[in-house]
Amino acid sequence: MRGATRSSLCRWNLWKLRRGKPNNGHPLHIGWFRSRNASTGQGQVGQVGQVGQVRQVGLWELLEYNAHCFNPHRMASLLALVLEEPRREARLDPRLHAYLQKAIASCHLYENLRMIPAKDIAAAVVYCREVGHAAAEDLSDVIVETVSSHMDRLDLRRVSFFITTFAKQQIKDTVFWKSAARRVVNSSEPLTPEVVVSVLDAFRKRGMKSETIFQALARRVMEVLQSLEPNHIPPIVATLCRVPMKEEDREEVIRELLVKWLRMLEQEKEHPTGAVTIQQILSLAVSLGLSPDIVNTAVFTKEVFDFIGNRFHLLRAEELIVFLWAIQRLVVPKSSTAHLARGLKQVQKLWSMLSASSELSLQRLIQLSEVLTCVKEEAKGSLPHWTGELEELQELVIQDLAESVQYCQSDTLAQILEIWHGSEDFWSQHTEFAEAIAKRIEELLLEFTDTTEILQTFQAALSAPGLVKCLSERAIEVLNSALSSRGADDVERVQAVVAGTPWEVLCKGTPAVATASEAPPVEVAGTGTAGTEFRSLLGSWRSPRTDLELADFLKKAVASSREAAEALEAVEAAAPFAEKLAANATAEVLQYLELLCKKIALSANELETRELVAAMRACAEAGLPYAPLCSAALVSLGTNLTAAQSVEVLESCAALRLDIPQLQPWLGMLLEKGLDRQLSASGLARMLAAAGRLGVQAEQTARILHRIVTVTSPIRPMQAETLASLCLGLTLQRWMPSENQSDFWQVTSWLATLDQATVRPSHGFSMRNFALGLLIEPEGRAAIDGLNPDLQKAMARLIRGTATHRRPVSDTTLKFRHEAAEVLRRAGRPYDLDISLGVGFVDLALPGPDGVFWLLDGPEAFRRPFRTDSTRPKLELVPMETFRSQLFLAVLNKGAVEAMDASLDAWEGEAPRNGKEVLGIPHDLARSKRFPWLEAHEVRLARLDWLEWERMPSQARLAALTKPHPRMLKFTTRRDGR
C-alpha cells in the first residue's frame, strides 16, 4: 500500500481471495485486479502463482477504520488509492466523507504531522486536490495552513525540506510561501551549504519575485562560502543570475563564488580528483552569459580553456555545442577564435554520430550557427581559422536547418534570420535554405492570428536583404498572396515595416488600404444588452474547482450568447476545464456544451475557416463528440483550408473517435488536391495516423509513405514521435510491403537506429504493434525475410524486447470489469484478470475445460456517436481494437505461434530455442494447473461491451460469462490449429 503496512484484516481478506472464497459479507470494493510485476520476481504478500500479482485490497475498510482511529502516516497512501477508484462512486461514498472529516480535525494539530516526512505531506496535499471532493479540498487547505502557521517553530533544515517538496509538487499557496520566506529571512540559525542550495533553487522555481528573500539568501551564501564544494557553486550562481536583486549585491556574491570556484579549478589542474566536472563548467558558462557584465568573464574563459586545452574529445557532442555557444557569448571578440575553431572542428568530426543519435535539435543547430558565424566573421582578418572543415560544417548545419525550419515558431525563425544575415551571394548558394524560410513565412502569414509575431519575423528579415533578392518569382507571388489574405490593417502594418527595403516587393499587388475617412461604416454586433452580458460573463470567467461552477458558467453562456462566434468563444473557454473535470462532469455540463455546439453547427456556413477548425479543436479538448457540428464543419470547410489545418481537423475527429460519413470523401478530395505535397514528413505521418484511428482508408498509403521517405533527411534519423505516428498509421491502415521494398527498408532502418531505451512507452507501443502486424501475416514475415540480417535482428529485438503496454481505460470500464469479477467471485468460480498473451492483455480469463478469454469493452473501445436499434446497441470497434483482436487470434493459434517464433529465431540468427518464452508468453502457461485447457481443449476468445452488460438481468450474468452466446465469440479453435 505504497509503503504502508497491511493490517491483519487485509491479510485475512487476501488469503480468502487466494482461496477463491467469499468475504463473509464484507465486499472489497476495489476488486481483485491482477497485474504482472515485470520489475521483480520475488514472492510478496498478495502474489498469485506465476500468473500475476494481486492488487492491494481493503481500501474502504481502512478508510472506515481510520475515520475512527486516524493514522496520519497513512494519509498520503490512502488518498493515492482513492484516486485509482472510479471517481464518481468514490466521491459519493459516505466512508470517504467520514474519513476526510476525521483527517481535517486531526490535521488542525501540527503535532499529528510532526513526524511525517515533508514529501508525504506535499503528496497528501496534491492527492486531496485531485480527488474532486469539497472536504478533500478543505483538508488540503488545512494541511497547508497548519504547516505554515508552525513554520517559525521548525529548524531551517526541516523548512528546506518543505520548501523543496512544495516547489517540486507545484503547491502555490501564498500563505505557505510567505511564511517560509519570512522564516528564512528572519532566522539567524546557521545553515549548511546543501540547505542554501536547495532553498535558493526552490524559491527560484516557485517564481518568487521578492528582492528581500534573495538578498537575505545572498548573505547566507557569503556565510557558508568557505564550506562550499565545487558542485555547490554552479546551482547558486544559476539562481542568483536569474532572480531580482540589487546589482551591486549580485555582483559581489557572484564574484566571490567565481573566485573560489576558479581556485578549486586550479587545484584540480594540479591534482585531479574529479571534483570539478564538465557539467559545472557548462552550467557556469550558461549562467554567466545571462549577465556577462557583472564579473570579468575573460579570466573565467581563459582558465576554462586552459583546463580543457585540446581535450575537446572529453565532451559529448551535445555538451561541446553548448560549451562553445556559452563561451562565445562571454569572450572578447577575436580573443578566443582559435579555441572556438578547434572546438568546431571536433564537432565536424562528430557530425555523423550527432546525426545518428538525434541530438541535433533545432536549438542546438541555432547555437552552432551562432558560433559558426562568429568564427567566420572574426576569421576574415589575419586569423587563418576558417578552414575547409568549418566550411563543410557550415553546409551540414544549413542543410539541417533547411529541413528543421518548417517546424519553428516566429521568434525562432526571426533568430535564424538574424544569425544568417548573409549577402546575396550567400543566399544564391543556399537556395534550398532560402526557399524553406520563404515557405515557413508563408505558413506563418496563413496560420497566425497575432500580427505582432508576423511583424517580428519581417523585422528580423530586414537584416537579410540578400534572401528576398534570390527568391524565385513563384515564391514572391506565393508570399504576396499569403500577405493579401490577411486583413487590411495587417497589410498596412507590414508595409510600414518593409518600406524602402528589398522586402517591399512582397507588398506589390496588395489591395490599397482605405483611409479612415474613406472606410465604410461598420456595424458592431453584440453591443446590445445581450452582447454586453456575454462579454461580462467571459471576462469574469476563471478556473472552476467543481463541475457545478462549470455548469453555471455554461448555463449563463447559453442564455447570453447570440451568435455562433460567441458560442464558440464560450466552448473554447470551457473546454480545458470540461476535460479536466470529465470524471466528475454532470449530465448538465454535457447538455449545455451540446447546446452551444448546436448554435455553432447551425451557423457553420457563417464562420471563417479558422473558427471552424477552432470549434472542432475545442470539442476534441472537451471530449465532446458532437457529430452534427463536425459534419457541418466538414461541409463548410471543403478544401478551403491550409495543410496544417487539414491535419488538425483529422486529429480532432480522431481524438473523438467520430464515425461520420463525410470524412472519407473529404480526405479523398484533399489528397486529390495535393495535400500530401504540401505537408512535411511529420505532418504526413500525423495525417496517416489520424486517418487510421478514424478507420478512414487512405487509398494512397503507399504513395504517402513514399513521400515521407522522400522529404525526410537522409543524414538525420526521423524523430521518435514522427516515427511512432507513421508506424501507427501503417498498422491501422493494414499496409503491407510491396515487391519494391525500398520504402519498407527505410522505415526499418529508422527503427533500427532508434534507441528504444529512450523512447516513450506510448511511442514504443506503436512501433512494436507495427512489427507485430507484419509478424502475424505470412506476407509480412516474407517482407522481413528480404531485409539484410542487421535489420532483421532489429525487428526481432523490437518484438521481443519491448514491454507490453497497458492501454488506459475509463472509469466505466473499470467498474464493468469489477462487476464481472464480483459475479465470478460470489459464485466461487476461479478467474484471472489482466493476463498477458505477449501481444497484449486480455481482461478476464476463466480457466478450466469451458474456459474463455474475455475482452470487456468500455466506451473508449467504440466509435462515436453510439447508435442503437430496437434490440441492442449497434457499436463499431475503433480500428485499434480490431487490430488488437487480430493479434490475440494469431497468438491463440498454436500453429501460427510456432511459425512466428521460427521466423523470429531465423531473424535473430539463432537455432530454434527451447527457452521459457514465445513472444513473451511463458511456455509453461499451457501446462500450468490453472490453464491445462490451453493444450487439450478449445481456445475461445469472446467480447462483451458494457451496454449489453448493463441491460443483462443480474441472474443471467454468470451464465453469460461462463457459457458465452455464439454472438459474443470471436474465435474458437483447438490448440493444434484445427
Side-chain angles (χ1 to χ4, degrees):
M1 193 166 292
R2 301 199 181 193
T5 306
R6 281 190 175 87
S7 65
S8 58
L9 174 62
C10 289
R11 293 180 184 275
W12 174 242
N13 284 331
L14 188 60
W15 180 82
K16 286 189 290 184
L17 169 63
R18 294 174 67 183
R19 298 273 296 182
K21 295 182 179 180
N23 196 27
N24 295 331
H26 296 285
L28 299 180
H29 294 265
I30 62 175
W32 317 126
F33 293 106
R34 294 168 170 82
S35 61
R36 297 184 64 190
N37 187 352
S39 61
T40 175
Q42 298 176 355
Q44 299 176 353
V45 175
Q47 189 169 355
V48 177
Q50 297 179 354
V51 176
Q53 181 180 343
V54 180
R55 179 177 173 183
Q56 294 165 0
V57 297
L59 167 64
W60 296 103
E61 286 85 348
L62 285 173
L63 285 176
E64 196 170 5
Y65 175 78
N66 274 259
H68 297 87
C69 304
F70 181 71
N71 183 352
H73 291 273
R74 281 187 175 175
M75 183 165 52
S77 58
L78 286 176
L79 290 169
L81 289 176
V82 169
L83 290 176
E84 297 178 7
E85 293 297 295
R87 298 284 286 280
R88 189 167 185 81
E89 287 80 352
R91 284 196 315 155
L92 297 176
D93 198 300
R95 291 171 292 184
L96 176 61
H97 182 77
Y99 171 77
L100 293 171
Q101 293 299 328
K102 183 68 173 180
I104 290 172
S106 175
C107 291
H108 273 296
L109 299 175
Y110 180 76
E111 189 63 27
N112 292 331
L113 303 176
R114 184 171 61 86
M115 300 303 294
I116 303 178
K119 63 181 180 63
D120 289 346
I121 292 178
V125 172
V126 172
Y127 295 153
C128 281
R129 291 173 179 176
E130 292 178 359
V131 166
H133 193 292
E137 294 279 355
D138 293 340
L139 175 58
S140 70
D141 294 341
V142 166
I143 294 173
V144 173
E145 290 170 5
T146 302
V147 171
S148 304
S149 63
H150 285 73
M151 197 66 68
D152 292 339
R153 308 177 195 178
L154 306 179
D155 62 80
L156 282 183
R157 186 167 179 271
R158 173 79 164 163
V159 170
S160 73
F161 291 159
F162 276 115
I163 292 173
T164 302
T165 55
F166 274 45
K168 184 176 181 180
Q169 297 287 358
Q170 297 184 351
I171 300 172
K172 301 179 179 180
D173 297 58
T174 305
V175 62
F176 168 80
W177 289 102
K178 282 186 175 180
S179 62
R182 189 166 50 248
R183 175 71 176 98
V184 170
V185 170
N186 298 334
S187 174
S188 58
E189 182 182 336
L191 296 178
T192 64
E194 291 76 15
V195 170
V196 172
V197 171
S198 62
V199 170
L200 268 170
D201 184 63
F203 276 130
R204 173 171 67 88
K205 290 179 178 176
R206 171 59 185 89
M208 301 291 283
K209 302 298 183 184
S210 171
E211 286 190 11
T212 307
I213 298 172
F214 295 108
Q215 295 285 144
L217 287 170
R219 290 193 294 272
R220 289 309 191 99
V221 170
M222 298 301 289
E223 292 174 7
V224 299
L225 183 63
Q226 300 308 315
S227 304
L228 295 176
E229 296 295 330
N231 62 301
H232 295 142
I233 293 176
I236 295 176
V237 172
T239 295
L240 296 180
C241 286
R242 291 171 169 84
V243 298
M245 284 182 64
K246 292 180 180 178
E247 286 303 317
E248 56 270 23
D249 293 340
R250 191 199 316 270
E251 181 179 346
E252 178 186 359
V253 178
I254 291 180
R255 184 189 299 114
E256 291 297 328
L257 289 168
L258 203 54
V259 167
K260 180 171 180 60
W261 186 84
L262 288 172
R263 287 201 198 102
M264 292 186 283
L265 179 66
E266 191 66 33
Q267 295 171 4
E268 182 72 16
K269 285 193 286 188
E270 296 174 0
H271 307 288
T273 63
V276 176
T277 64
I278 293 296
Q279 283 68 32
Q280 294 172 26
I281 294 174
L282 292 177
S283 176
L284 286 171
V286 172
S287 300
L288 293 174
L290 300 173
S291 305
D293 299 329
I294 346 180
V295 294
N296 184 1
T297 54
V299 177
F300 170 77
T301 54
K302 177 181 179 302
E303 293 296 329
V304 166
F305 274 128
D306 288 346
F307 176 71
I308 293 180
N310 291 320
R311 298 178 295 173
F312 285 117
H313 62 279
L314 297 178
L315 281 74
R316 291 189 301 107
E318 189 177 15
E319 290 176 343
L320 179 55
I321 294 174
V322 175
F323 170 75
L324 294 173
W325 169 77
I327 288 293
Q328 174 262 327
R329 301 166 73 203
L330 298 178
V331 298
V332 177
K334 297 187 178 182
S335 63
S336 300
T337 312
H339 293 295
L340 294 174
R342 282 201 302 271
L344 288 174
K345 290 176 184 177
Q346 181 65 22
V347 173
Q348 191 268 339
K349 293 178 183 177
L350 298 173
W351 189 264
S352 58
M353 184 177 68
L354 269 170
S355 300
S357 62
S358 300
E359 292 183 11
L360 278 172
S361 63
L362 182 57
Q363 181 186 12
R364 297 290 174 259
L365 287 171
I366 291 174
Q367 291 171 341
L368 198 51
S369 298
E370 285 193 40
V371 183
L372 272 168
T373 53
C374 171
V375 172
K376 187 174 185 178
E377 186 69 27
E378 293 179 0
K380 283 182 179 178
S382 58
L383 300 173
H385 299 303
W386 188 259
T387 63
E389 294 169 298
L390 299 193
E391 189 72 35
E392 180 184 353
L393 178 61
Q394 175 184 275
E395 297 306 309
L396 292 170
V397 170
I398 290 175
Q399 184 178 351
D400 264 28
L401 276 174
E403 296 168 2
S404 302
V405 76
Q406 59 185 314
Y407 308 113
C408 69
Q409 298 300 314
S410 59
D411 55 343
T412 308
L413 182 60
Q415 191 178 3
I416 292 173
L417 287 168
E418 289 170 353
I419 294 171
W420 295 104
H421 55 275
S423 63
E424 188 174 351
D425 290 340
F426 170 84
W427 289 107
S428 62
Q429 295 170 14
H430 302 94
T431 53
E432 289 186 5
F433 189 24
E435 293 287 343
I437 291 176
K439 178 66 176 174
R440 186 55 184 158
I441 292 176
E442 178 208 356
E443 291 173 350
L444 296 178
L445 286 169
L446 294 173
E447 296 173 9
F448 275 51
T449 57
D450 187 355
T451 310
T452 305
E453 297 190 15
I454 301 294
L455 294 177
Q456 179 185 12
T457 303
F458 277 106
Q459 287 166 348
L462 298 181
S463 62
L467 190 157
V468 71
K469 291 179 181 178
C470 75
L471 288 178
S472 64
E473 291 184 6
R474 173 60 181 159
I476 297 292
E477 290 175 6
V478 168
L479 288 173
N480 182 276
S481 175
L483 180 58
S484 301
S485 68
R486 301 184 68 86
D489 290 342
D490 289 357
V491 173
E492 184 180 17
R493 294 176 69 182
V494 172
Q495 285 176 336
V497 170
V498 301
T501 72
W503 286 91
E504 193 175 18
V505 69
L506 301 185
C507 299
K508 291 182 178 179
T510 54
V513 181
T515 62
S517 60
E518 298 170 341
V522 178
E523 291 186 14
V524 180
T527 54
T529 305
T532 304
E533 182 184 351
F534 178 78
R535 289 293 151 202
S536 175
L537 172 67
L538 205 61
S540 63
W541 175 237
R542 60 182 181 81
S543 172
R545 292 177 63 171
T546 67
D547 52 334
L548 297 178
E549 293 179 22
L550 180 60
D552 184 58
F553 166 75
L554 291 172
K555 180 180 179 181
K556 293 177 181 177
V558 169
S560 60
S561 60
R562 291 290 178 267
E563 298 178 350
E566 291 180 340
L568 171 59
E569 288 185 80
V571 173
E572 285 186 299
F577 310 108
E579 190 276 334
K580 180 181 178 182
L581 299 172
N584 311 320
T586 61
E588 191 178 17
V589 168
L590 301 177
Q591 179 184 1
Y592 288 135
L593 278 172
E594 286 191 0
L595 289 174
L596 289 168
C597 288
K598 184 177 181 180
K599 286 186 179 182
I600 301 171
L602 292 174
S603 304
N605 58 343
E606 301 174 5
L607 296 176
E608 298 179 5
T609 295
R610 61 176 180 80
E611 292 176 315
L612 290 171
V613 174
M616 298 182 74
R617 183 196 313 124
C619 284
E621 188 173 8
L624 180 68
Y626 192 69
L629 169 58
C630 297
S631 298
L634 289 178
V635 172
S636 299
L637 285 170
T639 58
N640 301 318
L641 69 174
T642 66
Q645 288 172 333
S646 303
V647 175
E648 186 172 1
V649 168
L650 272 174
E651 290 182 324
S652 297
C653 292
L656 295 170
R657 311 191 306 278
L658 286 180
D659 180 14
I660 50 180
Q662 293 87 350
L663 274 170
Q664 182 74 60
W666 180 75
L667 179 59
M669 285 192 303
L670 290 174
L671 290 173
E672 286 178 10
K673 288 241 177 197
L675 173 64
D676 55 323
R677 295 191 297 274
Q678 303 171 41
L679 287 170
S680 63
S682 174
L684 288 165
R686 288 166 54 203
M687 179 192 71
L688 201 59
R693 290 163 61 195
L694 286 165
V696 175
Q697 293 301 312
E699 297 177 358
Q700 301 92 338
T701 298
R703 191 184 83 187
I704 294 171
L705 173 60
H706 184 68
R707 177 69 180 168
I708 291 173
V709 172
T710 302
V711 300
T712 303
S713 168
I715 63 171
R716 198 170 81 192
M718 181 178 281
Q719 296 289 330
E721 183 176 3
T722 302
L723 184 55
S725 297
L726 174 59
C727 288
L728 176 61
L730 294 175
T731 301
L732 298 183
Q733 294 286 348
R734 301 309 295 133
W735 171 86
M736 284 291 156
S738 61
E739 294 181 2
N740 181 7
Q741 293 202 105
S742 59
D743 294 340
F744 177 53
W745 175 88
Q746 185 60 71
V747 174
T748 55
S749 298
W750 288 328
L751 289 169
T753 57
L754 205 62
D755 182 5
Q756 290 295 328
T758 63
V759 174
R760 290 167 54 184
S762 58
H763 294 164
F765 174 63
S766 297
M767 296 172 193
R768 187 186 189 225
N769 274 346
F770 170 69
L772 287 170
L774 296 172
L775 180 68
I776 64 175
E777 299 290 347
E779 57 185 312
R781 295 197 293 271
I784 298 178
D785 288 339
L787 298 173
N788 64 53
D790 289 339
L791 294 182
Q792 290 179 358
K793 287 181 181 179
M795 294 296 283
R797 191 163 55 247
L798 180 62
I799 293 169
R800 289 202 196 271
T802 307
T804 303
H805 180 75
R806 291 182 183 276
R807 61 195 182 102
V809 295
S810 63
D811 289 347
T812 302
T813 306
L814 289 175
K815 180 175 179 289
F816 172 26
R817 293 180 185 175
H818 163 64
E819 290 176 355
E822 281 290 290
V823 168
L824 294 169
R825 185 182 66 81
R826 290 175 184 146
R829 288 297 305 265
Y831 64 89
D832 283 275
L833 290 156
D834 282 350
I835 297 296
S836 174
L837 295 184
V839 295
F841 291 87
V842 291
D843 303 319
L844 178 68
L846 274 65
D850 57 349
V852 61
F853 282 131
W854 276 104
L855 302 180
L856 305 178
D857 298 316
E860 68 277 1
F862 300 98
R863 300 174 69 179
R864 299 188 289 188
F866 305 137
R867 297 181 175 87
T868 59
D869 56 24
S870 58
T871 56
R872 66 172 58 87
K874 296 172 63 177
L875 302 176
E876 184 178 351
L877 289 169
V878 296
M880 179 52 75
E881 285 301 313
T882 304
F883 175 70
R884 184 168 166 247
S885 291
Q886 292 171 346
L887 291 180
F888 288 140
L889 298 182
V891 299
L892 289 176
N893 185 309
K894 184 178 180 182
V897 170
E898 290 175 349
M900 290 187 282
D901 198 48
S903 293
L904 283 171
D905 288 336
W907 299 338
E908 291 174 327
E910 298 179 359
R913 59 176 67 195
N914 295 316
K916 295 182 178 180
E917 292 189 349
V918 178
L919 289 174
I921 310 170
H923 266 300
D924 56 0
L925 180 62
R927 298 191 297 272
S928 69
K929 293 179 181 179
R930 299 189 64 80
F931 295 97
W933 53 278
L934 276 178
E935 194 68 39
H937 297 273
E938 289 182 334
V939 177
R940 296 187 293 173
L941 180 71
R943 296 197 86 121
L944 178 63
D945 64 78
W946 90 107
L947 286 178
E948 186 166 1
W949 176 262
E950 288 178 354
R951 295 171 56 171
M952 194 180 293
S954 56
Q955 63 272 19
R957 289 180 171 181
L958 178 62
L961 291 173
T962 55
K963 298 178 180 179
H965 190 279
R967 182 186 69 255
M968 302 175 184
L969 290 172
K970 303 300 176 185
F971 183 75
T972 303
T973 186
R974 293 182 60 86
R975 284 288 289 174
D976 56 13
R978 288 182 287 167

